[in-house]
Amino acid sequence: MPQGDKSKYTDKQKRQAEHIEEGYEKRGVDDKEAEARAWATVNKHDGGGKKAGGSGRK
């Protein structure tokens, strides 16, 4: 999966990242930094993309 590809994330994770990003932007954080922080937060809580794929995964 190339860097920046969000296809392995669930819809819920994408919504969470969007909500977190909006919160950072309201606090005056630059757009790209807010996006990076939002995805870092989602990864911290969920351990990254969760969609099934590959051998043996459910």
Side-chain angles (χ1 to χ4, degrees):
M1 179 166 61
Q3 201 170 21
D5 181 14
K6 306 294 188 236
S7 65
K8 291 287 184 179
Y9 289 89
T10 64
D11 289 338
K12 180 180 177 183
Q13 289 172 314
K14 291 174 184 177
R15 286 192 309 271
Q16 286 174 330
E18 182 65 30
H19 181 74
I20 294 166
E21 183 179 349
E22 288 171 6
Y24 278 122
E25 288 172 353
K26 284 182 183 177
R27 294 183 191 103
V29 177
D30 138 21
D31 290 347
K32 287 192 178 211
E33 179 66 19
E35 182 181 10
R37 288 184 187 185
W39 283 108
T41 303
V42 170
N43 287 335
K44 177 182 165 187
H45 289 291
D46 293 336
K50 293 289 189 182
K51 285 192 177 174
S55 178
R57 297 178 111 185
K58 295 179 180 178

